[in-house]
Amino acid sequence: MRSMSYTTTENKQYNFAADTVVKAAIGAIDGLEGKLKDQQSAGGATTLKGTFHKTILGKVLGDRTHLTATIVASAADLTDVSIEIYPLDAVGRKLAFGARAGVSQTVMTWFIAHLEHRLPK
């Protein structure tokens, strides 16, 4: 029996300055009722870490999730975003088995939608 990874990753690029994308990402975490656990900036990159409850915006997903978003300016108005989301156990450790299928992908889809909604039109 092989182990299945519940981790979801996505890379996106936006035509906005990095600080604009960072603000939108923090807003997206907050908009999805998550908690921003850590924010670090080094060498032109900002890393955000957040967690989400089992229920987001009234929808029961069944697993807590952890998000790491690394935001890097690749040019003046071009920003790369790398996102990783995985389920957590009750004490906040990465869940290696027993997670519900699709939870990380659902959170990823919602996070990207909320981030993009917060970018200037």
Side-chain angles (χ1 to χ4, degrees):
M1 186 167 128
R2 70 179 186 86
S3 106
M4 183 183 150
S5 173
Y6 297 106
T7 301
T8 301
T9 58
E10 184 120 7
N11 296 303
K12 303 283 281 180
Q13 192 170 63
Y14 296 102
N15 293 313
F16 294 100
D19 62 335
T20 301
V21 178
V22 168
K23 284 182 192 128
I26 291 170
I29 292 170
D30 187 54
L32 290 170
E33 303 171 344
K35 283 196 171 56
L36 180 64
K37 296 288 193 179
D38 191 28
Q39 178 178 351
Q40 294 185 354
S41 296
T46 299
T47 301
L48 304 175
K49 293 185 180 187
T51 56
F52 299 97
H53 295 290
K54 292 179 179 187
T55 302
I56 299 176
L57 303 176
K59 179 156 170 58
V60 178
L61 298 176
D63 284 319
R64 295 168 188 86
T65 47
H66 172 88
L67 169 140
T68 301
T70 304
I71 301 164
V72 182
S74 49
D77 279 332
L78 198 60
T79 301
D80 294 317
V81 182
S82 299
I83 308 158
E84 178 184 64
I85 297 177
Y86 55 82
L88 297 172
D89 67 12
V91 290
R93 294 177 304 217
K94 188 173 185 175
L95 202 55
F97 59 90
R100 285 150 188 87
V103 172
S104 297
Q105 186 57 55
T106 298
V107 176
M108 177 72 74
T109 301
W110 290 355
F111 175 75
I112 290 170
H114 274 252
L115 185 154
E116 291 175 354
H117 177 73
R118 286 169 169 75
L119 292 171
K121 299 295 174 256

